[in-house]
Amino acid sequence: MKQFVVLHFVSWIWVIILCGVVAHCQRPESVNIAAVFTFDSVIGRAAKVAMEMAVSDVNADPTVLTGTKLNLIMKDAGCSVFLGSIGAFQALEKGVAAIIGPQSSAIAHMISQIADAVKVPLISYGATDSTLSSLQFPFFLRTTHSDLEQMTAMADLIDFNGWKEVIAVFLDDDYGRNGISALGNELERRRLRIAYKLRLSIHFDLDEINNLLNQSKVFGPRVYVVHVNPDPRLRIFTVAHKLQMIANDYVWLVTDWLFASLDSFSPVNQTTLSVLQGVVGLRQHIPDSRKKRSFVSRWEKMQKEGVANTSLNSYGFYAYDTVWAVAFSIDKFMELHNNITFSFDNNYMLPRTEETVIQLDMLKVFDGGSDLVNILLELNFTGLSGQIQFSSDRNILSGGYEVININPMAITTVGYWYNDSGFSVMPPKILTIKEHRRFFQNQKLDNITWPGGKIERPRGWVIADNARPLRIVVPKRASFVEFVTELQDSHQVQGYCIDIFKKALEFIPYDVPYVFKPVGSGIANPNYDTLVKMVSENVYDAIVGDIAIVTNRTKIVDFSQPFASSSLVIVAPINNAKSNTWVFLKPFTADMWGATAASFIAIAVVIWILEHRVNSDFRGPPKRQIVTIFMFSLSTLFKTNQEKTVSSLAKMVMIVWLFLLMVITSSYTASLTSILTVEQLSSPITGIDSLIASNWPIGYQVGSFAYSYLTENLYIPSSRLVSLGSPEEYAIALHKGPSRGGVAAIIDELPYVDLFLSKQTDFGIIGQPFTRGTWGFAFPRESPFALDMSTAILKLSENGELQKIHEKWFCMMGCPEERTSNSEPNQLHLVRFWGLYLLFGVVSLAAIVVFMLQIVCQYVRFKQRQKEVASSSSESPSSNCYQVVINIFNFIDKKEEAIKKMFTQGDNPHNPNWDK
């Protein structure tokens, strides 16, 4: 009997074990999955229908979950973290293999911790918060795009349009704060920033929006980035439209929430589009496919039948694909493990006491949760939304974004954004086939209609309504005041740089209130590095003046487009008298020598004309006359001419000529004497290398960046550098030289040197500029005003206004030409003697005119006399034209004495004396 009992007991044990094994090896009839989301929401309404359709399609497909039914347990989160958590616990009590959702990032944070505890995968199609990371929540996966990627696209859009500052409008919850934080980080990488943040409460109303937008109207930036939950009533834009903020100069950028809302409308009416005119936003790109078109047709049919009470948006596609991803993963999991099992975890067993209210003893842990997560990560299939495949950070691989523009007539796609290629008018899939590399010059979007209906890209900022005038610091210079300084009496700020700034303001399409703040004692030049630092610390808003753009300054401030070149050059005494064979030519310039030679030829011709008829010395064969006139002209230089002038007109011309000759010869003698006898200062310096190699002192301008450049870049000891405060000190130090307490050379910026040399002739530029530099106006970092000022300066350069301002200040006495060591400041220029040459020319011309009048009168008398003789002798004069011309020249060539004799004696024209 005892043996029978033992045998019966062993048999029951084997039966129990066999039943357990069979139960473990056999697939279950059904598998539960949960969906926790907000039913009554833009995303929830579409997701609910999509997930129900997906479950129906999975259960109807014999190739997936063969013999096992997929059950979907839905729990309403009600937009509440608390209700969402309760719903998750309720679903977990029923033994679910995975949880789908929620769409809320705040709820997802809480349920992720619950899912991690029970090792159940949580797959969200709508929680975009980038802080839902795989490191913190290893059981969390996302089948939609992360806000990190969306904000990268948004930052690229802002950078693409050239805007520097934006205003962020967002919900003050995990979704809003973390999304805007991601945007701020991406903007900082591009040297852009969020200037102001407008936080909205989770349950905001119209009054709250109205107050925030009214406050923002006084800010400078006009680019708004709106990141809130889908809002079918479009409350933000309704208020903005009433406040006339959907208008010119405004820019409204939105994340994908807006198009999730608009896609839920069926159809979008014209009133809605008018409120959103010019808005630009991002929407997840879902490539077109046959499967997608078929699903859309089914959805539209369900809408007509009343089964679906909302239109389809992108989150509907993601929710549908999420169900299929879970189904595929469970199917593969059961192929490996045959069943889904749960077990209790002692860590969640609370001791039962009278005070214990919440019992977790019914909460089970999914034994194969980690394996199911790994299977999910290995998925790779094509769904409605595109390729379903997870990246290493457990986000779905992105398909990029569409850039959408809303105008009064329609919602249009103006381009696409993909992380590898940036902006393009082609969809990401086509683009990646053609080119993977990303270059800024390849970035392109179609034309965008901005708020107000304009095609031209808005500037994106204005001078704030409540902003104080720009505090512009100007150096109160003590030397080279032509560039910028403050007048002592009127305290008016003026100068070359000030005129450029004021002229540039005329090309900026808005009013810029400003006030100049002179800094400096007026006795010595201020330190420019200190002024730049004051701007970087926001003590002042800009610097206008002769500010050199150098490396250490560009690290703390932004500069405008350069308006002048400021290369460093060497100024030293120059040798004006180099001994050579042709030193006697140096007193006159080439044009002076040419004018002098021409005057000698002119006096020779004029005297010959005036003396030929009355002076026998100027008559004879042509060869003899040519030699005579030029010998006469040259001999006047030495006052040894043998030919005497007879004509009164010739004597008058000679008086003026001799005076001119006396001045010319005296000036030539003085200049040549100066060149040959006066000791000229000279310098063996040939360039910066020879200057560094010497031990001579070097001068520099007080406050200039030249000091730091010489000491830090060229390593010249500071003991060799001598500070000089004015052009007068420059001249004194150079004249003294290094042997008498002066300097061997001065290193300064080219504009100062040009101004200095325009008033000095003993110095010149040695060698070539050894560093290239420019001047510009300085502004705080990221100042949008710097860009507009740069554009204005470019316009000044293109239309010639910069050159006109330069001539106004530095060319009043003639623009200074750059002097080099080969210049000759002692040379005499024609411009100094043009008055004398003009006098000589006028007198000579007058004398020839008088002489020709005399000839005409004599010839008229001669012809009358000839007619009288011809009438008395019955001879007719020749009417041959050629003969008439010959007779005229013969008459002019005759001696004055013979003509007078003919008139006094009444002789005939054939008198023999005419041939003498």
Side-chain angles (χ1 to χ4, degrees):
M1 184 64 182
K2 188 175 184 181
Q3 292 178 350
F4 175 76
V5 172
V6 172
L7 181 61
H8 183 73
F9 179 73
V10 171
S11 300
W12 273 105
I13 292 176
W14 275 105
V15 170
I16 293 172
I17 293 174
L18 288 174
C19 290
V21 171
V22 170
H24 185 270
C25 296
Q26 185 179 3
R27 283 197 176 199
E29 293 183 0
S30 64
V31 175
N32 294 331
I33 62 173
V36 181
F37 61 100
T38 302
F39 291 177
D40 188 18
S41 65
V42 171
I43 296 176
R45 284 189 290 269
K48 185 175 185 295
V49 177
M51 286 189 289
E52 289 173 346
M53 293 173 66
V55 171
S56 175
D57 292 345
V58 168
N59 290 329
D61 191 337
T63 63
V64 182
L65 295 174
T66 305
T68 301
K69 181 181 179 182
L70 185 66
N71 293 328
L72 179 63
I73 302 171
M74 295 187 180
K75 297 296 180 179
D76 189 2
C79 294
S80 167
V81 175
F82 175 74
L83 293 179
S85 302
I86 295 298
F89 280 120
Q90 290 174 346
L92 289 171
E93 287 179 354
K94 297 181 180 181
V96 295
I99 301 176
I100 298 175
Q103 76 264 32
S104 167
S105 297
I107 300 174
H109 273 277
M110 176 59 71
I111 299 182
S112 292
Q113 298 185 43
I114 299 173
D116 288 347
V118 296
K119 295 182 173 32
V120 173
L122 175 65
I123 307 99
S124 177
Y125 55 84
T128 58
D129 184 0
S130 59
T131 63
L132 288 166
S133 66
S134 59
L135 294 178
Q136 183 180 3
F137 306 113
F139 283 83
F140 176 81
L141 295 89
R142 183 166 22 219
T143 55
T144 187
H145 300 174
S146 167
D147 274 343
L148 179 60
E149 183 166 12
Q150 181 170 210
M151 293 309 175
T152 301
M154 183 63 71
D156 277 352
L157 182 61
I158 295 168
D159 191 27
F160 176 81
N161 287 281
W163 300 312
K164 299 297 183 182
E165 295 181 331
V166 300
I167 297 175
V169 182
F170 61 98
L171 282 182
D172 194 13
D173 62 359
D174 290 344
Y175 161 74
R177 287 191 301 269
N178 295 333
I180 294 303
S181 176
L183 175 62
N185 293 336
E186 290 297 323
L187 290 176
E188 286 182 5
R189 290 177 55 192
R190 296 160 178 79
R191 294 187 62 186
L192 315 175
R193 72 187 186 101
I194 299 175
Y196 302 96
K197 295 181 178 180
L198 306 182
R199 295 176 173 85
L200 291 169
S201 61
I202 297 176
H203 304 291
F204 61 86
D205 56 20
L206 296 178
D207 290 337
E208 183 179 354
I209 299 171
N210 188 78
N211 293 335
L212 283 178
L213 293 185
N214 262 324
Q215 293 173 15
S216 71
K217 292 178 73 173
V218 301
F219 299 153
R222 284 292 183 265
V223 181
Y224 290 79
V225 179
V226 184
H227 183 59
V228 295
N229 287 326
D231 180 15
R233 292 187 289 167
L234 304 176
R235 288 169 291 175
I236 292 176
F237 290 102
T238 301
V239 174
H241 189 267
K242 290 181 179 179
L243 295 176
Q244 298 182 348
M245 297 176 69
I246 311 294
N248 294 336
D249 296 330
Y250 283 91
V251 177
W252 291 90
L253 307 178
V254 295
T255 52
D256 62 354
W257 69 268
L258 176 61
F259 300 104
S261 302
L262 294 180
D263 290 343
S264 300
F265 297 162
S266 180
V268 179
N269 57 50
Q270 295 297 321
T271 304
T272 301
L273 293 182
S274 64
V275 171
L276 298 172
Q277 180 189 16
V279 173
V280 177
L282 302 174
R283 178 172 62 190
Q284 300 98 327
H285 174 62
I286 298 178
D288 189 26
S289 65
R290 182 183 302 174
K291 184 182 296 187
K292 175 185 174 182
R293 292 192 295 270
S294 175
F295 184 79
V296 171
S297 297
R298 287 176 59 194
W299 191 285
E300 291 174 350
K301 182 179 179 180
M302 292 172 63
Q303 277 188 288
K304 293 178 181 179
E305 295 173 353
V307 178
N309 60 354
T310 182
S311 295
L312 180 61
N313 57 44
S314 58
Y315 290 98
F317 293 112
Y318 291 128
Y320 183 89
D321 287 342
T322 302
V323 173
W324 272 97
V326 171
F328 282 131
S329 300
I330 293 176
D331 184 47
K332 187 172 182 180
F333 178 86
M334 289 195 297
E335 288 179 1
L336 298 174
H337 301 281
N338 294 315
N339 203 350
I340 295 177
T341 60
F342 300 87
S343 61
F344 293 103
D345 191 332
N346 293 329
N347 294 325
Y348 306 125
M349 297 291 292
L350 296 179
R352 291 182 177 272
T353 65
E354 295 181 357
E355 297 179 357
T356 301
V357 178
I358 300 177
Q359 300 294 334
L360 300 180
D361 54 345
M362 297 300 294
L363 199 61
K364 298 179 181 180
V365 176
F366 183 15
D367 295 330
S370 298
D371 293 336
L372 185 57
V373 168
N374 293 331
I375 294 173
L376 281 165
L377 293 176
E378 294 174 357
L379 279 179
N380 187 357
F381 71 96
T382 301
L384 297 179
S385 60
Q387 198 67 21
I388 305 300
Q389 186 178 2
F390 292 95
S391 61
S392 58
D393 58 358
R394 306 192 179 187
N395 292 319
I396 196 170
L397 293 180
S398 173
Y401 283 88
E402 299 173 6
V403 182
I404 309 296
N405 179 217
I406 302 175
N407 58 59
M409 301 304 298
I411 300 175
T412 58
T413 300
V414 296
Y416 302 88
W417 178 91
Y418 192 59
N419 197 26
D420 292 337
S421 57
F423 292 106
S424 173
V425 294
M426 296 184 294
K429 185 176 181 180
I430 298 175
L431 185 67
T432 51
I433 295 175
K434 294 185 176 181
E435 182 178 354
H436 290 277
R437 293 176 297 175
R438 178 176 182 176
F439 297 104
F440 180 78
Q441 60 268 26
N442 295 335
Q443 308 292 294
K444 184 179 180 181
L445 292 174
D446 286 336
N447 291 333
I448 295 176
T449 302
W450 301 101
K454 289 188 175 181
I455 302 297
E456 182 181 357
R457 179 183 303 162
R459 186 173 61 253
W461 77 286
V462 297
I463 298 296
D465 294 343
N466 65 341
R468 62 177 184 276
L470 291 179
R471 301 160 300 172
I472 300 177
V473 59
V474 294
K476 188 176 181 180
R477 295 191 60 88
S479 61
F480 297 106
V481 295
E482 291 86 350
F483 292 102
V484 58
T485 195
E486 179 189 30
L487 300 180
Q488 294 292 342
D489 298 334
S490 62
H491 299 288
Q492 181 182 0
V493 177
Q494 68 175 23
Y496 167 67
C497 301
I498 300 299
D499 281 2
I500 290 178
F501 175 76
K502 291 181 177 179
K503 194 67 178 179
L505 289 181
E506 298 178 8
F507 290 86
I508 295 178
Y510 51 88
D511 293 331
V512 181
Y514 65 90
V515 57
F516 288 128
K517 299 287 186 179
V519 173
S521 62
I523 301 174
N525 295 332
N527 186 289
Y528 281 28
D529 286 335
T530 302
L531 299 183
V532 171
K533 187 176 181 181
M534 295 170 74
V535 170
S536 69
E537 295 174 350
N538 291 319
V539 178
Y540 295 103
D541 301 313
I543 305 178
V544 171
D546 46 341
I547 312 298
I549 303 176
V550 293
T551 304
N552 65 317
R553 295 175 182 173
T554 57
K555 294 178 180 178
I556 58 176
V557 296
D558 285 344
F559 281 93
S560 68
Q561 175 76 17
F563 61 85
S565 174
S566 64
S567 304
L568 287 180
V569 294
I570 302 173
V571 181
I574 56 177
N575 187 357
N576 293 319
K578 295 182 180 179
S579 298
N580 58 61
T581 306
W582 305 100
V583 68
F584 65 89
L585 296 176
K586 290 189 175 182
F588 287 170
T589 58
D591 55 351
M592 185 64 182
W593 278 117
T596 302
S599 65
F600 273 98
I601 297 173
I603 191 63
V605 174
V606 170
I607 294 301
W608 179 83
I609 292 173
L610 298 178
E611 291 290 314
H612 178 68
R613 303 184 69 202
V614 297
N615 194 335
S616 300
D617 293 336
F618 293 90
R619 298 184 66 82
K623 183 177 180 180
R624 178 176 177 271
Q625 292 186 55
I626 292 174
V627 173
T628 299
I629 62 177
F630 283 105
M631 288 300 296
F632 173 83
S633 174
L634 295 174
S635 64
T636 57
L637 183 62
F638 310 102
K639 301 180 178 59
T640 59
N641 49 304
Q642 297 179 355
E643 298 80 3
K644 303 297 182 182
T645 54
V646 177
S647 168
S648 299
L649 294 174
K651 291 178 179 180
M652 180 183 67
V653 171
M654 283 299 297
I655 291 173
V656 178
W657 166 250
L658 291 175
F659 177 71
L660 170 64
L661 199 60
M662 178 190 69
V663 175
I664 295 298
T665 53
S666 300
S667 301
Y668 175 86
T669 303
S671 180
L672 184 61
T673 301
S674 174
I675 292 174
L676 294 176
T677 62
V678 176
E679 179 181 359
Q680 297 293 312
L681 295 174
S682 63
S683 174
I685 299 171
T686 58
I688 187 62
D689 293 332
S690 61
L691 182 60
I692 294 175
S694 69
N695 290 321
W696 292 322
I698 303 171
Y700 70 93
Q701 184 184 168
V702 174
S704 171
F705 82 97
Y707 177 84
S708 59
Y709 182 83
L710 295 175
T711 55
E712 297 174 7
N713 294 77
L714 301 182
Y715 306 106
I716 298 176
S718 58
S719 58
R720 288 182 57 189
L721 302 180
V722 179
S723 61
L724 302 171
S726 66
E728 293 75 18
E729 292 184 16
Y730 280 23
I732 294 173
L734 289 172
H735 275 301
K736 286 183 178 180
S739 60
R740 293 185 292 169
V743 296
I746 294 174
I747 293 179
D748 205 351
E749 298 170 62
L750 185 59
Y752 303 123
V753 171
D754 277 341
L755 188 59
F756 172 67
L757 294 182
S758 68
K759 303 173 184 178
Q760 297 288 337
T761 59
D762 294 336
F763 315 107
I765 297 174
I766 305 297
Q768 299 297 322
F770 56 89
T771 181
R772 301 290 178 181
T774 50
W775 284 354
F777 303 139
F779 301 89
R781 295 295 295 269
E782 317 303 337
S783 170
F785 187 56
L787 179 62
D788 290 344
M789 179 57 66
S790 296
T791 304
I793 291 175
L794 282 175
K795 292 180 181 179
L796 289 181
S797 178
E798 292 170 357
N799 63 17
E801 290 293 336
L802 275 182
Q803 183 61 30
K804 291 179 181 178
I805 296 174
H806 181 272
E807 292 173 357
K808 169 188 172 183
W809 283 96
F810 307 120
C811 298
M812 291 178 288
M813 300 298 293
C815 289
E817 297 179 355
E818 183 179 356
R819 291 182 174 84
T820 66
S821 56
N822 296 322
S823 63
E824 298 290 347
N826 290 323
Q827 283 185 323
L828 299 175
H829 297 265
L830 177 62
V831 68
R832 298 184 179 182
F833 300 96
W834 72 271
L836 279 176
Y837 282 109
L838 179 62
L839 177 63
F840 168 69
V842 170
V843 172
S844 299
L845 182 62
I848 291 177
V849 170
V850 172
F851 172 76
M852 294 305 297
L853 290 175
Q854 291 177 350
I855 292 294
V856 170
C857 292
Q858 290 178 355
Y859 186 72
V860 171
R861 289 183 59 192
F862 168 72
K863 293 299 291 183
Q864 291 176 350
R865 181 65 180 171
Q866 196 177 39
K867 288 180 181 180
E868 293 175 0
V869 173
S871 60
S872 61
S873 60
S874 300
E875 294 181 2
S876 59
S878 174
S879 60
N880 190 322
C881 182
Y882 174 76
Q883 188 62 41
V884 171
V885 173
I886 294 299
N887 290 339
I888 292 175
F889 277 99
N890 286 336
F891 178 81
I892 295 174
D893 188 57
K894 300 304 178 181
K895 291 185 64 174
E896 180 81 14
E897 182 181 353
I899 294 175
K900 290 181 179 180
K901 186 175 180 181
M902 183 272 291
F903 288 145
T904 56
Q905 295 180 359
D907 216 348
N908 60 66
H910 301 286
N911 192 297
N913 292 330
W914 283 64
D915 297 326
K916 294 181 182 179

